[in-house]
Amino acid sequence: MAAYRYCEAVTGLQARNFSYGIRLLPEPKRLAMSALYALARRVDDIGDGDLPDDRKAEALLRTRELLDEIRSGSVAEDDTDPIKVALADAARRFPIPLGGFDELIDGVEMDLKGAEYQTYEELKVYCRCVAGAIGRLSLGVYGCQDPERGARYADTLGLALQLTNILRDLREDALNGRTYLPAEDLVRFGCQEGFAQSRPPVGADFTGLISFEAARAQAAFEEGLRLLPMLDRRSRACTAAMAGIYHRLLGRIAADPESVLRGRVSLPGWEKAYVALSGLAGGRS
């Protein structure tokens, strides 16, 4: 239980949006989800950290080896890594498709290689690695009336969340030398100069670009939210809460596209809590 408490502490401190949803789950599922998040956070932190790329690659390889230990059932209860211990226990209790973590690592390795995306289809591959995989991992904890269809919807909902993330973090990523939006879209809207400034590129149709990408994210939300009726009430509330927070972020970005150049768009805590309670009451937030 101490290992789970560690994972819950990581989730509470670092998962500003995720934690609002998983609070709605019964304890066994909440603990398992905190273990999922804690390992996903570790993988993300490796990718975003200050280590040289070769050290990051080594750390990601060690994470793959950790997953192999969990799959083999060889993790001891007194292992010194609480995330490994908690996730191993969660994987014994729930049919978690651990390969989703390998996909997440694949996505982080794309970042390390400086991958850029020429087309939306290429970007979707990345999004499905770093976000769709998390949706499918979560489904292993939630359970689902139709696992095959549910996995497709969970994958698409993850795509919607990641597209929203990309729009929200547009300038921050640009300042870190990263561009995620498809190159063909940047050219189409005259935005190929990038987003390192607090104003749109001169002569660019920046509003058109953001509206275009936001519409894609909205379509992904509409399809992905078909997952909700397939889940039990508490899992449905958790998913609706997390998706609802990001959906509201998307709405704010679509209403004021230049806001993403001024700083990170966010919701106040009271609004996140309202969305979570709305999900518990049966709404789609």
Side-chain angles (χ1 to χ4, degrees):
M1 187 58 73
Y4 278 124
R5 296 306 176 206
Y6 175 87
C7 294
E8 283 197 303
V10 170
T11 304
L13 285 171
Q14 300 190 45
R16 286 168 291 186
N17 294 330
F18 188 81
S19 61
Y20 279 90
I22 67 171
R23 292 174 191 173
L24 304 176
L25 295 171
E27 184 178 54
K29 291 185 178 182
R30 188 183 74 245
L31 294 176
M33 289 295 291
S34 70
L36 289 182
Y37 175 83
L39 186 61
R41 179 78 262 170
R42 176 181 290 179
V43 173
D44 283 344
D45 286 346
I46 291 169
D48 293 335
D50 297 326
L51 292 174
D53 285 354
D54 59 339
R55 296 280 301 281
K56 289 182 179 181
E58 291 172 6
L60 292 174
L61 178 59
R62 288 195 298 271
T63 306
R64 292 190 191 273
E65 292 169 350
L66 176 154
L67 291 167
D68 288 339
E69 285 186 63
I70 294 174
R71 278 187 276 255
S72 69
S74 61
V75 178
E77 289 187 7
D78 61 351
D79 192 285
T80 56
D81 184 343
I83 296 177
K84 184 197 301 185
V85 172
L87 187 57
D89 184 74
R92 286 191 291 268
R93 296 172 184 269
F94 299 98
I96 299 171
L98 293 172
F101 282 113
D102 292 292
E103 292 181 66
L104 175 61
I105 294 170
D106 290 342
V108 173
E109 288 177 340
M110 293 180 200
D111 282 335
L112 294 186
K113 294 173 183 175
E116 295 185 354
Y117 308 98
Q118 296 299 311
T119 67
Y120 180 52
E121 290 303 312
E122 291 179 5
L123 177 61
K124 284 201 293 186
V125 172
Y126 170 77
C127 291
R128 293 189 190 282
C129 283
V130 299
I134 300 300
R136 284 177 268 117
L137 285 162
S138 300
L139 207 60
V141 175
Y142 296 156
C144 183
Q145 296 173 1
D146 185 339
E148 185 175 342
R149 260 200 320 148
R152 291 200 301 271
Y153 290 144
D155 197 66
T156 302
L157 190 56
L159 171 64
L161 269 59
Q162 188 61 26
L163 289 173
T164 303
N165 264 338
I166 287 171
L167 293 176
R168 181 194 64 184
D169 297 341
L170 196 66
R171 184 157 185 248
E172 180 180 333
D173 288 333
L175 293 173
N176 290 323
R178 293 179 179 175
T179 301
Y180 289 98
L181 293 180
E184 64 181 11
D185 296 347
L186 300 181
V187 171
R188 176 181 174 182
F189 292 95
C191 293
Q192 58 269 41
E193 291 182 14
F195 310 103
Q197 304 301 318
S198 59
R199 296 181 63 82
V202 176
D205 182 8
F206 181 77
T207 296
L209 173 68
I210 299 303
S211 297
F212 181 72
E213 305 297 352
R216 278 177 165 164
Q218 175 64 27
F221 270 116
E222 291 173 2
E223 179 179 350
L225 286 170
R226 295 177 184 175
L227 172 66
L228 294 183
M230 300 180 182
L231 306 178
D232 66 68
R233 178 175 176 268
R234 299 281 285 276
S235 299
R236 182 167 62 247
C238 174
T239 304
M242 289 188 285
I245 289 169
Y246 278 90
H247 195 221
R248 284 185 174 230
L249 286 174
L250 180 66
R252 293 193 177 191
I253 291 168
D256 182 10
E258 290 190 27
S259 63
V260 298
L261 297 179
R262 297 192 296 267
R264 173 175 284 209
V265 179
S266 63
L267 302 182
W270 68 264
E271 189 169 358
K272 293 178 183 179
Y274 169 78
V275 172
L277 289 172
S278 176
L280 189 59
R284 280 176 48 159
S285 306

